[in-house]
Amino acid sequence: MVTPPSLKGLQAFEAAARAGSFAAAAEELSVSAAAVSQLIRTVEEQMGRKLFHRVNRRVVLTEAGVEMLPRLTMAFQEIGSVSRELGGDAFRPRLVVSVPPSMAMGWLSQRLAGFVASHGAVDISLRGDDDPVPFDREMIDIRLTYGPHYREHPTEDIVQDAVYPVCARGLADMIRPDGLAGLPLIHTGWGPTGAFFPSWNNWFEAAGIEPGRAAQRGLSANSSRAALDLAISGLGVALAQGIYCAAALEDGRLVRPVARALELRRPYCLTIPERSARRDVVAAFRQWLIDECQRAVNSPALR
């Protein structure tokens, strides 16, 4: 294998050929003219071809030098461009984040500005996906999901949540001594993981209450986010995960008409494929997302 010429030597040749003298090249490269001359001589020896004719104190490009100059100039310009981009704002890491649709529609999208403010510029692709998700086909870096769906990838449990009856304050003022009886209920179709989420029947059973036909009546929504919006609008009492409803309880858009909560059967989990695990931006987002989830489920409004 032929040893490639010295990069420093090629840089010295390109600067001298472009500037027209060793002295000018030496000033540009912050070295001595003798160092430029030696670097170029080394390149000529490595290539086995003269690049300059030395005439008195002048240097004139040989045919080989004329052929090399424009190509080297273009190459060093490209190297400079890449260096500037990697060292400045033009380089932005990319992150593909997959979460359940309800989380993408409100909870996470409202918080992402906090991550960008603390981490810096990053290109984020936020995906609202039902399980299962195609990690490799969509190049997903991190997935937050309910339950451990992806044990073929490194997965960790991050928070244990519960569901809470929540409604608008005006509706809570109508509550009677017998609790939720008579109040309109909002039912949530939890999707493919529905078997693992509590229903109103489960809640009434845990509370030791016979709901009668009330547990089947009322509005229905096919996402946690939609059910929460219906409750905020005053249309009924929803069973909402703490991670979603904590902020609305804190700012008064929702209240808890009764105290009883019902713990979810599974934790929320984070899955990060091995190809993404060592990336700094993924590690930073992982810790930020865990902190946000834990802050939500530990909200004083849920105690």
Side-chain angles (χ1 to χ4, degrees):
M1 181 178 293
V2 178
T3 303
S6 157
L7 184 60
K8 287 186 177 181
L10 291 175
Q11 188 178 22
F13 160 75
E14 191 275 336
R18 176 169 37 79
S21 75
F22 288 0
E27 185 175 351
E28 178 180 324
L29 300 176
S30 300
V31 297
S32 67
V36 169
S37 178
Q38 182 57 50
L39 285 168
I40 293 173
R41 185 174 289 110
T42 300
V43 169
E44 290 176 326
E45 291 172 355
Q46 291 171 330
M47 296 182 63
R49 301 185 69 177
K50 286 288 187 181
L51 301 176
F52 287 106
H53 293 301
R54 291 161 177 81
V55 182
N56 296 328
R57 295 185 179 181
R58 295 173 56 246
V59 289
V60 179
L61 285 171
T62 64
E63 184 176 344
V66 170
E67 182 180 342
M68 285 178 55
L69 177 59
R71 298 166 69 180
L72 281 178
T73 298
M74 185 179 299
F76 282 118
Q77 286 175 345
E78 182 64 19
I79 291 172
S81 175
V82 170
S83 178
R84 287 189 297 274
E85 288 181 4
L86 291 176
D89 292 339
F91 175 70
R92 297 161 64 96
R94 179 169 175 79
L95 186 65
V96 181
V97 179
S98 175
V99 296
S102 287
M103 183 164 283
M105 286 188 290
W107 188 89
L108 185 55
S109 58
Q110 294 169 357
R111 287 165 169 76
L112 276 180
F115 174 74
V116 173
S118 63
H119 184 272
V122 55
D123 292 329
I124 299 175
S125 174
L126 176 59
R127 300 170 51 91
D129 296 318
D130 288 319
D131 296 301
V133 298
F135 278 90
D136 293 331
R137 190 178 74 215
E138 302 296 340
M139 295 304 292
I140 292 169
D141 293 306
I142 188 166
R143 166 71 175 172
L144 173 64
T145 192
Y146 172 69
H149 293 281
Y150 304 104
R151 292 306 190 191
E152 70 272 21
H153 297 291
T155 298
E156 59 183 321
D157 301 347
I158 58 168
V159 288
Q160 184 70 44
D161 203 357
V163 291
Y164 303 81
V166 294
C167 64
R169 186 172 300 278
L171 194 62
D173 292 340
M174 298 168 55
I175 194 167
R176 303 195 301 245
D178 55 354
L180 297 180
L183 292 183
L185 301 180
I186 298 170
H187 306 271
T188 307
W190 303 105
T193 56
F196 304 106
F197 276 96
S199 66
W200 272 115
N201 277 328
N202 299 137
W203 187 88
F204 280 118
E205 182 181 353
I209 299 172
E210 174 55 52
R213 300 177 67 180
Q216 283 75 45
R217 292 175 176 170
L219 292 167
S220 296
N222 68 350
S223 75
S224 301
R225 176 68 188 185
L228 203 62
D229 287 342
L230 291 172
I232 291 171
S233 298
L235 294 176
V237 185
L239 272 182
Q241 298 102 305
I243 201 169
Y244 289 151
C245 69
L249 289 169
E250 290 168 0
D251 63 24
R253 286 175 294 158
L254 289 173
V255 296
R256 294 173 61 190
V258 293
R260 176 176 291 276
L262 194 57
E263 188 173 271
L264 295 178
R265 292 170 57 185
R266 294 185 170 190
Y268 282 95
C269 300
L270 276 185
T271 300
I272 301 176
E274 290 184 359
R275 59 173 159 75
S276 300
R278 295 182 181 179
R279 297 180 59 209
D280 290 343
V281 67
V282 174
F285 191 85
R286 170 193 167 276
Q287 189 58 57
W288 174 84
L289 186 54
I290 290 174
D291 291 345
E292 290 295 317
C293 290
Q294 292 180 344
R295 186 177 297 112
V297 300
N298 292 322
S299 168
L302 299 175
R303 294 172 188 166

